[in-house]
Amino acid sequence: MQRLYDFIRRHPTGVDIFWAVVLLGLSGVSVVADSSRGSERLPAVPVIIGLCLVVALRRRAPEKMLLLAVAMGVAQLAFGVRPSVANFAMLVITFTVATVGERWASRLALVCSLCAAGISQVRWPNEMRGGWAQEIFVVVVMTVPFVLAWVLGDSMRTRRAYFDQLEERAARLEREREAQSKVAVAAERARIARELHDVVAHNVSVMVVQADGAAYVMDAAPDQARQALETISSTGRQALAEMRRLLGVLRTGDARESGEYVPQPDVEQIEELIEQVRQTGLAVDFKIEGTPRPLPSGVELTAYRIVQEALTNTRKHGGPDAGASVRLVYFDDGLGLLVEDDGRGAAHELYEDGGADGAGHGMIGMRERVGMVGGTLDAGPRPGGGFRISALLPLKPAH
C-alpha cells in the first residue's frame, strides 16, 4: 500500500487521466444504454469528452478546467443534453479549485454549485413528477454534495496555507539562528583581537624598552641590567598567560576546565600596571579620587584596558622626556578616567574617524569597549601639546 501511495503522489496527472478514462467509459455506456436520449446522443459526445478532459487536467490547469466545465454545462443547457455520469466532473473540479485554485475560481465554483441543481430542474421540469416541495427537496439534495466538496476543498487550502506558514517560519527562524551565530562568532573574534592587541602592544613595548635599557647599561651598571632582564622575564610570562587565556576561547571546553586561565584585569591592577610602566622610564602620576567601591567586571576590564592603551600610546608617540598622569575618579553614578601626557602628541590618525591607527584596534578598541558598557569617550590632542583621553563609565549594581 505504501508503494501504491508513493506512486500516486509521484504521478498525480497520470492518476487523473486514469479516472478520466474510467469516467469516459461509464458515460459512454450510460448514453448508449439509455434509449430515451435519442437525438441527445450526438451533442452529448463533445460534452462528455469535455467533462472527462476536465478530470484529466484538473491539477495542471484548475482555473481553465473550471471554465471548460462551465462551458460544458452551458452547452448542456443549450442543446438539451440531460445530466449524466460525466457531470461528476463538475463535483471534482469544484473540490479542486477550492483546494488549489485562485480565489476568483473558488468563488465562481461555489456560485455555480449553488445554482446548478436549480437551473437543471428549471431546464428539465418534466424529469420530476411531483409537487413543488418535492422539487425543492431534490434541488437541495443535489446541491449539498457540491457545497460539501467546496467546503472540504477550502478547508484543505486553509490547512495547507497554515502548514506552509509554519514551514516558512521555521526556515526563517533557522536562518535567523544561523545569522545570530555568525554575529556572535564575529563579535567574539573582534573581542579576542582587541584583547590580543592590548596584551601584545603593552607587554611587548615594555619588553623592548627594558631590553634597550639593559643593553645600554650592561657594562656600566650590571645590577640595573639584571633588574631590566627580570622585568622582561616577568612581563613575558604575563603576556603569555594572558594570550593563553584569550586563545583558549577558541579551544574546546576541556582547555577551559584545565585551569590555565588567569582572572580578568581589574581596577586594582591599574596601580601595578603603572608601576610597570614607570620601570620603563615613563614618569606617571597616578591619583584616585572619591571612595573606591565594587564595580561590574566589564567596567573594571574596560578601565584597565583604557589606561593600558593610553600609556602604550604615550610611550609610542609621546617622544623623549614625556610624562603622563592618570586620574581615577569615583562619582556617585559613574567612574571617570582621565589620562594625559605632555609629549609631542600622537599622529592625527589616532583620533580621526574613530581612531584608525593603522592596525585598526587602538582607539577603535577603546571606543567599542566604552560603548559596550554604555559610557562615553573623548580622545584627542590637549591644549599646550600632548594627548588626552577622558572616559566616563556608568556604574551599575554588581551581580
Side-chain angles (χ1 to χ4, degrees):
M1 290 299 296
Q2 184 63 34
R3 292 182 179 178
L4 178 61
Y5 180 71
D6 293 339
F7 177 82
I8 291 174
R9 290 183 59 186
R10 290 195 302 268
H11 305 87
T13 303
V15 175
D16 291 340
I17 292 175
F18 170 78
W19 288 116
V21 172
V22 172
L23 184 62
L24 179 62
L26 294 176
S27 301
V29 172
S30 174
V31 171
V32 172
D34 190 356
S35 58
S36 62
R37 289 185 179 268
S39 60
E40 297 180 14
R41 292 175 180 175
L42 185 60
V45 173
V47 172
I48 292 174
I49 294 176
L51 292 175
C52 293
L53 185 63
V54 168
V55 175
L57 302 178
R58 66 185 183 93
R59 289 191 240 202
R60 299 290 294 272
E63 294 83 8
K64 295 180 180 179
M65 291 303 103
L66 174 65
L67 296 177
L68 179 59
V70 173
M72 293 300 101
V74 173
Q76 283 185 269
L77 295 175
F79 296 102
V81 180
R82 288 173 295 174
S84 63
V85 180
N87 288 98
F88 180 77
M90 296 183 176
L91 187 66
V92 174
I93 194 61
T94 298
F95 169 79
T96 302
V97 295
T99 304
V100 298
E102 298 290 341
R103 276 298 180 184
W104 65 265
S106 177
R107 296 188 183 97
L108 177 60
L110 178 60
V111 172
C112 294
S113 299
L114 295 174
C115 299
I119 294 175
S120 176
Q121 287 299 312
V122 173
R123 178 63 177 82
W124 293 281
N126 296 329
E127 292 296 317
M128 287 299 304
R129 298 184 181 275
W132 60 270
Q134 188 174 2
E135 292 183 1
I136 292 177
F137 176 76
V138 172
V139 170
V140 172
V141 171
M142 294 181 64
T143 303
V144 167
F146 286 91
V147 175
L148 291 178
W150 186 89
V151 171
L152 179 61
D154 190 70
S155 63
M156 290 187 65
R157 174 201 293 270
T158 303
R159 184 179 179 185
R160 288 182 179 180
Y162 174 71
F163 282 119
D164 291 342
Q165 184 179 9
L166 290 180
E167 292 179 356
E168 191 275 334
R169 183 182 303 174
R172 185 176 67 254
L173 291 176
E174 184 66 24
R175 291 193 298 268
E176 292 177 355
R177 189 179 299 110
E178 292 178 359
Q180 291 175 356
S181 299
K182 292 180 180 179
V183 170
V185 170
E188 184 66 14
R189 289 178 177 177
R191 186 188 69 83
I192 294 173
R194 290 193 301 268
E195 293 284 340
L196 286 175
H197 171 270
D198 295 339
V199 171
V200 173
H202 172 72
N203 290 290
V204 173
S205 177
V206 171
M207 293 169 66
V208 169
V209 172
Q210 292 291 337
D212 291 341
Y216 182 76
V217 300
M218 180 67 71
D219 297 329
D223 293 338
Q224 294 183 13
R226 185 181 302 106
Q227 183 179 2
L229 292 175
E230 291 176 355
T231 302
I232 293 174
S233 177
S234 62
T235 303
R237 289 192 180 92
Q238 181 182 357
L240 288 176
E242 292 196 35
M243 291 179 66
R244 186 181 299 114
R245 173 180 58 82
L246 294 173
L247 295 178
V249 177
L250 304 178
R251 304 174 185 171
T252 60
D254 296 337
R256 196 177 292 273
E257 296 173 359
S258 63
E260 296 180 352
Y261 305 113
V262 296
Q264 292 275 17
D266 53 22
V267 173
E268 295 180 356
Q269 296 183 30
I270 292 180
E271 189 170 358
E272 299 178 6
L273 172 66
I274 292 176
E275 288 296 330
Q276 187 181 57
V277 173
R278 286 171 177 167
Q279 293 177 8
T280 66
L282 177 64
V284 182
D285 180 28
F286 177 57
K287 290 185 179 179
I288 299 178
E289 300 178 7
T291 303
R293 71 197 71 176
L295 304 175
S297 59
V299 173
E300 295 205 8
L301 177 61
T302 299
Y304 181 90
R305 293 306 186 195
I306 289 176
V307 174
Q308 184 183 54
E309 179 65 26
L311 295 179
T312 300
N313 289 337
T314 299
R315 289 198 308 271
K316 290 167 59 178
H317 306 286
D321 300 328
S325 64
V326 178
R327 296 290 183 272
L328 194 65
V329 183
Y330 286 89
F331 298 105
D332 292 338
D333 58 350
L335 175 67
L337 283 173
L338 179 62
V339 184
E340 295 179 306
D341 66 69
D342 55 5
R344 63 189 180 189
H348 190 61
E349 303 86 53
L350 273 174
Y351 53 88
E352 185 184 42
D353 297 331
D357 63 348
H361 294 291
M363 295 301 300
I364 290 179
M366 282 193 197
R367 296 185 187 279
E368 290 184 358
R369 289 182 184 279
V370 173
M372 285 190 297
V373 297
T376 58
L377 177 70
D378 182 24
R382 63 190 290 265
F387 201 81
R388 170 186 293 166
I389 295 176
S390 175
L392 180 61
L393 309 178
L395 291 180
K396 298 180 180 179
H399 295 287

